[in-house]
Amino acid sequence: MNIKILNKTAIALVANSKGILAMDESHPTCKKRFDDLNINVSEESRRSYREMLITAESLFNYISGAILFDETIKQKTKKNVPFPDHLNTIGIIPGIKVDSGAKPFSCHPNEKITEGLDNLPKRVEEYKALGARFAKWRAVITIGENIPSKACIIANAQALARYASICQEMDIVPIVEPEVLMDGAHDINKCFEVTNETQSIVFEALDKLDVNFSGIILKPNMITPGNKCNSKSSVEEISKLTIKCLENNVPKEVPGIAFLSGGQTDQDASNNLNYINKFNNNPWKLTFSYGRALQLEAMKRWQGNNNNILEAQKIISNRAHLNSLAASGKYDLKMEKNKY
Ligand code: 13P
């Protein structure tokens, strides 16, 4: 493990108000998104879509890293350039999702445990040879009746810690993603309580396995009410509770925190990040690692038709630009009116 390399990569991923593009949807998730828009599902349509994203003009001004999927890291552009090489050429760091998904958690109905530790050292080594310099592992915590159980949080935290340790040994920066889902009718205080406990147990597990905090990126959910909650929360409340939760749990050595969007609208994801940055007095950089809140509008415009590539690219670049402004507290909702 070379901590200088790890720290340098982690800092680069959150520098200059840039964020990380999550484009690592598994085949079933990608199929669902394509099916919703009547887009033909095939290896070539996934390749073509992802080429559209990573060749968008000026994307590199706002995006520091791109998280790829197993299939995507091995794909090439139409000009026969492997995706990781193209990304490196334009100054975007290639990364890779290495978990194999959230599966039913034994003896705990309605809860999930993320799997993928089997053969992980070998897989990380292969991805590193293909150009990956960072990785992602997503744990999923669900709020519901009598859940989450402490057992679910502990099991997921242990897997995250083991994954992080394996990555660091190979100088690959682990993105540690404990996602407390927005699904449900719970209020913002319940989200705070569960996320606070989850982050606390995750950092304890990382510490127990000697994971070096200066060589990781945390990818958490923001503190928001559930998507079926009757009472809405203000952007100020969301920002303050999100920062409070991080202050309770995240060591100062962690270079950066890159939020997931988790089902928020594009505007909410940008506006909340903007306010979080306005209120932040901590050493960590606070930025975005969005999937849906960066891509969905561009995917709708692309619609599986390569004649729409340029229009779709304008949309993804514009969204990345707005989120980059939010990462430095310079976003304003009024900017949403200036369409491309
Ligand atoms: P969303 O921003 O769509 O939540 O996706 C981020 C991600 O990478 C989930 O693992």
Side-chain angles (χ1 to χ4, degrees):
M1 174 174 103
N2 183 329
I3 189 56
K4 278 199 184 139
I5 295 179
L6 287 167
N7 182 242
K8 202 171 153 203
T9 306
I11 287 174
L13 283 169
V14 292
N16 305 321
S17 305
K18 293 187 190 181
I20 301 164
L21 169 62
M23 45 177 286
D24 58 326
E25 298 82 5
S26 62
H27 290 338
T29 305
C30 194
K31 178 175 174 357
K32 187 179 172 309
R33 306 253 153 91
F34 279 13
D35 281 351
D36 287 348
L37 297 169
N38 285 323
I39 297 171
N40 172 46
V41 180
S42 67
E43 183 173 346
E44 174 50 25
S45 65
R46 291 190 294 265
R47 192 208 63 75
S48 202
Y49 172 67
R50 272 126 177 191
E51 174 169 359
M52 180 279 287
L53 293 177
I54 64 170
T55 56
E57 201 187 347
S58 74
L59 194 72
F60 60 88
N61 288 324
Y62 319 116
I63 297 292
S64 57
I67 313 172
L68 307 174
F69 183 63
D70 179 70
E71 175 184 83
T72 326
I73 199 170
K74 297 165 189 161
Q75 286 176 323
K76 297 178 178 174
T77 65
K78 282 195 295 289
K79 291 184 184 150
N80 218 21
V81 181
F83 281 2
D85 294 359
H86 169 78
L87 289 167
N88 273 320
T89 307
I90 59 172
I92 294 181
I93 304 172
I96 180 76
K97 168 196 174 82
V98 298
D99 67 69
S100 48
K103 307 285 160 63
F105 182 37
S106 50
C107 304
H108 293 79
N110 304 320
E111 295 197 278
K112 299 260 171 80
I113 175 76
T114 300
E115 293 186 352
L117 289 172
D118 287 352
N119 294 325
L120 187 56
K122 188 166 163 281
R123 287 192 293 121
V124 172
E125 205 176 321
E126 283 166 11
Y127 290 138
K128 186 176 174 177
L130 291 169
R133 285 165 55 202
F134 72 99
K136 175 187 120 172
W137 179 289
R138 172 175 177 254
V140 177
I141 305 296
T142 311
I143 299 179
E145 214 180 319
N146 299 322
I147 58 171
S149 63
K150 191 141 185 182
C152 180
I153 301 176
I154 290 173
N156 275 294
Q158 285 172 343
L160 275 168
R162 183 80 186 100
Y163 138 81
S165 163
I166 289 168
C167 289
Q168 285 199 332
E169 181 168 72
M170 283 179 247
D171 302 328
I172 296 287
V173 169
I175 292 193
V176 173
E177 180 176 3
E179 174 172 5
V180 176
L181 294 177
M182 255 177 106
D183 300 348
H186 55 274
D187 66 9
I188 194 167
N189 295 321
K190 184 68 185 175
C191 177
F192 178 87
E193 182 198 312
V194 172
T195 308
N196 193 49
E197 186 181 18
T198 301
Q199 288 182 8
S200 161
I201 292 174
V202 166
F203 277 100
E204 194 185 322
L206 293 170
D207 194 37
K208 280 194 177 142
L209 289 203
D210 301 323
V211 171
N212 191 304
F213 294 139
S214 70
I216 70 165
I217 299 291
L218 176 69
K219 177 162 171 168
N221 51 289
M222 295 178 190
I223 306 297
T224 65
N227 54 13
K228 297 194 184 77
C229 178
N230 291 327
S231 62
K232 298 276 165 262
S233 295
S234 67
V235 63
E236 286 85 2
E237 198 180 357
I238 289 171
S239 315
K240 284 188 178 152
L241 285 178
T242 300
I243 296 210
K244 188 170 164 205
C245 186
L246 298 173
E247 283 174 344
N248 287 349
N249 299 298
V250 186
K252 301 292 176 218
E253 296 83 14
V254 173
I257 293 160
F259 294 99
L260 56 94
S261 60
Q264 297 183 59
T265 64
D266 293 2
Q267 282 87 336
D268 282 352
S270 299
N271 202 32
N272 288 334
L273 178 63
N274 190 57
Y275 271 79
I276 289 170
N277 272 289
K278 280 188 199 245
F279 292 129
N280 182 36
N281 294 315
N282 296 282
W284 342 279
K285 294 269 195 273
L286 297 174
T287 188
F288 58 96
S289 175
Y290 297 160
R292 284 163 285 181
L294 272 173
Q295 290 184 48
L296 274 193
E297 287 303 314
M299 188 188 286
K300 278 186 203 160
R301 186 71 191 88
W302 174 66
Q303 195 77 43
N305 180 345
N306 287 343
N307 292 329
N308 299 333
I309 284 178
L310 280 179
E311 287 298 311
Q313 287 181 324
K314 281 187 198 157
I315 295 175
I316 175 84
S317 290
N318 179 60
R319 211 59 249 159
H321 184 191
L322 292 175
N323 283 310
S324 174
L325 289 170
S328 54
K330 293 182 185 145
Y331 167 86
D332 194 302
L333 275 173
K334 290 189 201 112
M335 294 170 178
E336 296 291 346
K337 293 202 186 89
N338 307 328
K339 291 283 181 192
Y340 339 112

